[in-house]
Amino acid sequence: MNENLFTPFTIPMMLDIPITTLIIMFPTMLFPTPNQLINNRMITIQQWLTKLTSKQLMNTHNPKGQTWSLMFISLFLFITSTNLLGMLPHSFTPTAQLSMNLGMAIPLWAGTVVMGFRNKTKISLAHLLPLGTPTFLIPMLVMIETISLFIQPLALAVRLTANITAGHLLLHLIGSATLALVNISLFTALITFTILTLLTILEFAVALIQAYVFTLLVSLYLQDNT
Amino acid sequence: MGAQVESYHFHSHPFTTPGFPTAGSRGFALQFLRPSHHGTPEVPASYQSRPASREPLLPAPRAHAPYPAVLARPGGADSQGFKMASIVPLKDKKLLEVKLGELPSWILMRDFTPKGIAGAFQRGYYRYYNKYINVKKGSIAGLSMVLAAYMLFNYCRSYKELKHERLRKYH
């Protein structure tokens, strides 16, 4: 039982060759490039959603921050499509691997911090101390704020990993529990209903992408504006 | 321009039977409103003759030369007793026209360089895309088939671990 629970999270192999890269590149096939003014239905829907999302994400930034729009939209699309494809049975979710999420979080966070320190050094350093602290607390608070700054990429990565992994595990567990309880019909209806609600709640894995990009956005926002 | 017009007449020979008007640019354009003869549409010579369809602006890389007119001509049009198998080189034939005995040599003649393989993937992708998705009234079936194939692929990939979860006494 122990081995079965985590086998969906192992590296996908085909004939003993890891095909992780192929699976990561699969969502790109689902986003064709629009090459006309009025495209087919799939591209039109994608364009509408992208426009909606990008407006929502980038309207709080000044023009300097809006140069990051392409980065944010591609990040958002990648995480959304990968998580949603992971909801299909038997599929592999790359964003459930901590290595991948750290690889996304650390460079992006570091980019925003370095940009803030290069362009507005004094203001970035001033962020390390909240307003109105008593004088004798200043050294300790600076240390705490520095630690909280360095925790940010770790929190971003671990948040995404833990949510996706926990959701998948729960689905596996409850699904197998339902199958085991099928012979005892009293609880079956209750368990299947739990599965149903859990599945819909897990569809809000899409909301996780919102959380991911929004937190990233918040840090960039702070660097550029104040 | 004249030479190009001639070449299009040469390629789309089956449409120029006496029943269809062939003279003039309007008649020339009418040929393109018929369903195209091959799987991938060709880019026409001028924009005036381009129908308002969803043809890709760039043609997909071809696996072989444009379809030889010798094979496109309806039988007996020029009754000189042509042997079709001998006049078209093996490399240019499509798979369904290759005789069974020529099959190994046909396979070996295919382009297995990285560029050739990438071209094959691109052709396959655009073939599916132009048939199911890049149409005027695409439905959810175009996307669902891709997702179903992805599911099947992942099932086959993880079958080795999955077969231990069957309800059996002995695995």
Side-chain angles (χ1 to χ4, degrees):
Chain A
M1 186 60 190
N2 265 345
E3 202 223 329
N4 284 340
L5 203 53
F6 285 101
T7 42
F9 300 108
T10 55
I11 304 293
M13 301 269 222
M14 195 162 74
L15 307 171
D16 291 332
I17 304 172
I19 49 166
T20 321
T21 315
L22 283 176
I23 294 192
I24 291 177
M25 291 196 310
F26 174 70
T28 59
M29 275 180 28
L30 305 173
F31 293 104
T33 32
N35 52 6
Q36 283 151 342
L37 190 61
I38 300 180
N39 299 291
N40 53 50
R41 284 182 178 177
M42 189 160 109
I43 293 185
T44 312
I45 293 176
Q46 284 170 2
Q47 276 178 334
W48 171 73
L49 281 172
T50 310
K51 208 171 179 185
L52 194 74
T53 317
S54 63
K55 278 195 174 166
Q56 177 72 26
L57 273 176
M58 308 310 292
N59 62 358
T60 50
H61 285 231
N62 56 2
K64 196 140 193 274
Q66 278 172 357
T67 54
W68 283 60
S69 316
L70 187 61
M71 183 72 233
F72 283 158
I73 288 297
S74 51
L75 180 71
F76 184 91
L77 280 179
F78 173 69
I79 301 183
T80 318
S81 57
T82 319
N83 289 346
L84 285 176
L85 280 175
M87 300 295 293
L88 293 171
H90 306 305
S91 49
F92 172 71
T93 324
T95 46
Q97 309 288 322
L98 184 65
S99 51
M100 164 127 181
N101 293 341
L102 277 174
M104 287 195 294
I106 292 185
L108 288 168
W109 164 85
T112 61
V113 165
V114 164
M115 203 170 100
F117 270 108
R118 277 181 62 186
N119 299 339
K120 300 193 173 156
T121 318
K122 255 194 285 187
I123 296 176
S124 301
L125 284 171
H127 278 315
L128 291 175
L129 192 66
L131 278 171
T133 62
T135 322
F136 66 94
L137 273 179
I138 287 181
M140 206 177 69
L141 216 53
V142 168
M143 269 174 39
I144 291 177
E145 290 286 330
T146 318
I147 293 175
S148 77
L149 181 73
F150 279 97
I151 281 271
Q152 274 180 350
L154 209 65
L156 278 172
V158 172
R159 181 186 303 123
L160 189 57
T161 311
N163 274 296
I164 302 292
T165 313
H168 283 295
L169 269 178
L170 267 173
L171 279 179
H172 276 284
L173 278 171
I174 293 185
S176 57
T178 313
L179 279 178
L181 283 172
V182 139
N183 299 321
I184 312 167
S185 62
L186 185 64
F187 286 121
T188 311
L190 199 66
I191 301 289
T192 37
F193 187 66
T194 319
I195 285 193
L196 216 62
T197 44
L198 206 67
L199 202 70
T200 41
I201 292 173
L202 197 64
E203 295 290 339
F204 296 122
V206 181
L208 267 179
I209 299 92
Q210 290 256 349
Y212 190 95
V213 186
F214 268 116
T215 45
L216 200 62
L217 171 147
V218 165
S219 80
L220 181 69
Y221 181 80
L222 280 175
Q223 296 287 343
D224 273 352
N225 277 356
T226 27
Chain B
M1 190 58 195
Q4 273 177 321
V5 167
E6 273 175 7
S7 72
Y8 273 100
H9 274 290
F10 187 64
H11 276 289
S12 31
H13 203 99
F15 301 129
T16 59
T17 56
F20 298 100
T22 57
S25 63
R26 246 183 83 228
F28 179 68
L30 267 178
Q31 295 175 25
F32 290 94
L33 293 177
R34 302 299 193 278
S36 79
H37 194 59
H38 347 314
T40 55
E42 298 178 310
V43 177
S46 68
Y47 275 130
Q48 283 91 18
S49 62
R50 185 163 187 267
S53 70
R54 299 271 182 255
E55 293 178 0
L57 291 174
L58 293 169
R62 305 298 301 268
H64 42 75
Y67 201 55
V70 181
L71 286 176
R73 216 169 285 148
D78 26 27
S79 49
Q80 296 294 325
F82 277 128
K83 284 206 176 53
M84 289 197 195
S86 59
I87 208 79
V88 179
L90 178 65
K91 181 162 83 66
D92 284 338
K93 282 198 206 166
K94 291 188 170 186
L95 179 59
L96 292 175
E97 272 110 29
V98 171
K99 308 269 183 295
L100 212 66
E102 300 167 344
L103 194 60
S105 49
W106 184 87
I107 289 179
L108 288 173
M109 272 188 204
R110 301 300 294 169
D111 186 13
F112 287 115
T113 63
K115 186 176 170 195
I117 293 182
F121 275 113
Q122 204 176 355
R123 278 196 303 279
Y125 173 81
Y126 278 113
R127 201 166 138 187
Y128 184 86
Y129 179 67
N130 286 327
K131 182 163 182 194
Y132 288 109
I133 303 188
N134 203 13
V135 290
K136 201 180 230 172
K137 292 184 130 197
S139 66
I140 196 75
L143 182 65
S144 322
M145 281 195 280
V146 177
L147 295 180
Y150 180 65
M151 248 166 60
L152 195 67
F153 172 72
N154 279 311
Y155 180 76
C156 297
R157 169 185 61 79
S158 49
Y159 181 71
K160 212 169 187 181
E161 281 90 33
L162 284 172
K163 73 177 177 184
H164 294 296
E165 292 178 14
R166 287 184 290 200
L167 290 171
R168 275 184 171 196
K169 194 172 169 189
Y170 301 109
H171 281 246

